[in-house]
Amino acid sequence: MDIQNKTKEELIIELQELKQENSDLKALIENRSVELITANKEHILQNEDISVPSLLRQKAEDLLKNKPSKHDSQLSESENLRLIYELQVHQIELELQNEELRNAQAVADAAHGKYIRLYDLAPSGYFTLSPKGEIIELNLAGALMLGKDRSHLINNLFHFFISKDTQDVFKLFLEKSFKNNSKESCEVKLMTSGNQSMWVHLSGITAENGTTCLITAVDVTERKHAEKKLQDIIEKNPISIQILDMEGYTVHTNSAHFNLFGAVVPRGYSLFQDPQLVQQGFGALFDRIKNGEVISFPDSYFNAHDVNPSFPDVPITIKAHGFPLTDSHGIPEKIVLMQENITDRKQAENEIKKKSAILNNLIINLDAGILLEDSNRKIVLTNQLFCDMFAIPAPPEALAGADCSESAEQNKHFFINPE
């Protein structure tokens, strides 16, 4: 018998049927035995003395003979013996089957107990809901999530425990679960006793009969808090943050990105295909990020007006850094760009360079020997007249960066204020 795939209820019903069949078979065997004894009475009593026990036996046999039988027999003695043998064998087979069924029932009871323990002691919440969202069944973890005793939660509406701002999310989730008959998921916020909130991830699928939805609830509160902190870091960061997919299309930007470029990234725009960046050789740098590297881009020119004529015509100089975001297997799946406007700084640097060039030109052409040192007595600038005054054979430009501490000590007597 294949009893492994039968339910506990089916096994119990089959066991009861077999017990009834055994009872009927025993009655049949008893009747056949009486008939056999009666048919062979004279042979059995042959050469036996009549005594009180034999008289009692005779009386018993007469009573059995007069007892109505459900089965009239015209069989021979050997046939009757054969029939009794077959019935006894069949009875033993039934008893063995019954023993097997009892063992299977014990296994089923143990499995059922194990299931109950796993169900009740699971760390996740398990709920069985009706199409209206009524709680039909739940485990201990589920009751703990809702903050009430399990017996007080049966037949309550599940959405009563969901925050108002996520109730629509739950209703859509439940509707889709029953309508599509497929696994659905969502994240909602539970409001427990004392107005304590808990974020849970719900996964649900309808049962085979289609009248209930089996839901697993996992506490994701810590993850949601971490995501909120990360979101704050991105949104409140004064540096522009732009997240791209692996094709260069924008997934997310913060407010600093809008402040930097004065426009929202248009749909269908890939940074990898921007002519301004392609001309500056950024394609190879983006490829390196795709391969997992962290890249510091060279200072670059960019004008959002060249992307879309409706955007502000404001050329800027950008300092950018890029790095990949990886999946659970360490494979890059997103690219993060952090961009800073360094236009003012670059303009200041260029202004300093211009003034330095003018100053250098004045020093070189003065009618006096000039030597400029830094705080470490390294030569910054000198002119030819200074080299001539001290008979220095090298040209002025060759002296830049040279340490003049020793020579200054040797020649300080030439100066009015040598220190």
Side-chain angles (χ1 to χ4, degrees):
M1 295 178 64
D2 182 11
I3 63 172
Q4 299 298 322
N5 297 322
K6 295 186 178 181
T7 65
K8 178 181 175 182
E9 289 76 14
E10 289 173 338
L11 291 174
I12 292 173
I13 293 173
E14 186 169 349
L15 180 59
Q16 292 173 342
E17 292 175 349
L18 286 172
K19 287 181 178 179
Q20 182 61 43
E21 185 178 355
N22 274 351
S23 178
D24 294 339
L25 286 172
K26 287 179 181 178
L28 178 61
I29 290 171
E30 181 183 353
N31 291 334
R32 289 294 187 186
S33 298
V34 171
E35 292 172 1
L36 181 61
I37 292 171
T38 303
N40 297 280
K41 179 179 65 174
E42 293 180 359
H43 175 75
I44 295 171
L45 295 175
Q46 187 177 6
N47 299 323
E48 289 186 0
D49 295 331
I50 303 298
S51 61
V52 175
S54 63
L55 290 174
L56 292 175
R57 182 181 180 88
Q58 178 66 44
K59 185 176 181 180
E61 289 177 353
D62 290 341
L63 289 173
L64 285 173
K65 183 178 180 180
N66 295 327
K67 184 178 180 180
S69 174
K70 296 180 180 179
H71 304 278
D72 294 331
S73 176
Q74 302 297 327
L75 301 177
S76 67
E77 179 181 353
S78 61
E79 289 174 332
N80 281 324
L81 291 173
R82 178 65 181 173
L83 177 60
I84 291 172
Y85 172 78
E86 292 295 336
L87 291 174
Q88 288 174 336
V89 170
H90 185 57
Q91 180 180 5
I92 293 173
E93 288 178 348
L94 288 176
E95 289 173 352
L96 292 174
Q97 291 175 355
N98 287 344
E99 180 65 23
E100 185 179 1
L101 286 174
R102 283 191 292 270
N103 292 337
Q105 182 176 351
V107 172
D109 289 341
H112 182 69
K114 182 178 180 181
Y115 164 77
I116 292 297
R117 290 192 298 273
L118 289 174
Y119 180 82
D120 273 340
L121 301 179
S124 301
Y126 295 146
F127 299 89
T128 302
L129 303 185
S130 71
K132 295 181 179 180
E134 297 168 319
I135 300 174
I136 300 173
E137 190 176 4
L138 74 164
N139 67 347
L140 295 176
L144 187 62
M145 285 181 173
L146 301 184
K148 288 189 176 183
D149 186 82
R150 179 160 54 175
S151 61
H152 296 154
L153 291 168
I154 301 299
N155 296 327
N156 275 264
L157 291 174
F158 189 81
H159 71 260
F160 284 165
F161 301 92
I162 297 177
S163 65
K164 291 182 179 180
D165 56 323
T166 59
Q167 282 193 6
D168 289 341
V169 174
F170 171 74
K171 290 179 181 178
L172 180 61
F173 155 78
L174 194 62
E175 289 174 4
K176 290 173 66 176
S177 296
F178 279 102
K179 181 179 179 180
N180 300 335
N181 195 27
S182 61
K183 185 177 180 180
E184 301 290 341
S185 62
C186 70
E187 290 186 355
V188 297
K189 185 166 61 175
L190 299 179
M191 302 303 298
T192 59
S193 57
N195 290 325
Q196 295 294 320
S197 62
M198 173 191 296
W199 280 97
V200 292
H201 178 89
L202 302 181
S203 299
I205 189 168
T206 54
E208 292 182 0
N209 56 17
T211 60
T212 58
C213 183
L214 308 178
I215 294 177
T216 301
V218 179
D219 185 354
V220 293
T221 305
E222 290 187 5
R223 193 202 76 198
K224 294 293 285 188
H225 288 167
E227 290 176 353
K228 180 62 169 61
K229 290 178 181 178
L230 178 60
Q231 188 67 23
D232 287 343
I233 291 173
I234 293 174
E235 292 301 325
K236 297 177 181 179
N237 202 308
I239 296 178
S240 166
I241 296 178
Q242 183 176 13
I243 301 176
L244 311 174
D245 64 17
M246 297 306 286
E247 300 299 324
Y249 295 97
T250 299
V251 177
H252 182 76
T253 61
N254 63 353
S255 57
H257 183 272
F258 178 84
N259 296 335
L260 176 60
F261 296 101
V264 176
V265 179
R267 281 193 168 190
Y269 167 76
S270 171
L271 206 64
F272 297 168
Q273 301 172 9
D274 188 285
Q276 300 176 82
L277 302 180
V278 172
Q279 290 174 5
Q280 296 178 69
F282 280 16
L285 297 177
F286 283 127
D287 288 338
R288 289 171 61 185
I289 297 176
K290 291 179 184 179
N291 291 328
E293 292 187 49
V294 177
I295 296 296
S296 292
F297 292 86
D299 299 345
S300 58
Y301 165 91
F302 193 84
N303 191 345
H305 184 74
D306 295 338
V307 176
N308 189 318
S310 65
F311 293 165
D313 188 5
V314 182
I316 56 176
T317 303
I318 296 174
K319 182 67 177 179
H321 304 276
F323 58 90
L325 294 177
T326 59
D327 60 16
S328 58
H329 302 290
I331 300 174
E333 62 176 359
K334 298 282 191 305
I335 292 176
V336 178
L337 295 180
M338 302 183 70
Q339 303 155 322
E340 183 181 5
N341 187 350
I342 60 170
T343 305
D344 293 341
R345 190 178 77 193
K346 293 295 289 188
Q347 290 175 349
E349 289 175 356
N350 291 334
E351 193 65 28
I352 291 173
K353 288 180 181 179
K354 290 179 182 179
K355 292 180 179 179
S356 295
I358 294 173
L359 179 60
N360 291 345
N361 188 52
L362 288 174
I363 291 174
I364 290 171
N365 294 299
L366 280 176
D367 291 334
I370 299 295
L371 178 70
L372 295 180
E373 298 177 351
D374 62 17
S375 58
N376 296 318
R377 306 222 71 167
K378 302 288 186 181
I379 296 176
V380 177
L381 180 67
T382 186
N383 61 0
Q384 186 62 49
L385 187 56
F386 181 88
C387 294
D388 293 342
M389 289 174 62
F390 291 94
I392 299 173
E397 57 270 16
L399 298 176
D403 190 342
C404 57
S405 301
E406 185 176 347
S407 60
E409 184 67 25
Q410 294 174 355
N411 297 291
K412 67 180 181 180
H413 60 278
F414 290 110
F415 300 92
I416 298 173
N417 186 4
E419 300 300 329

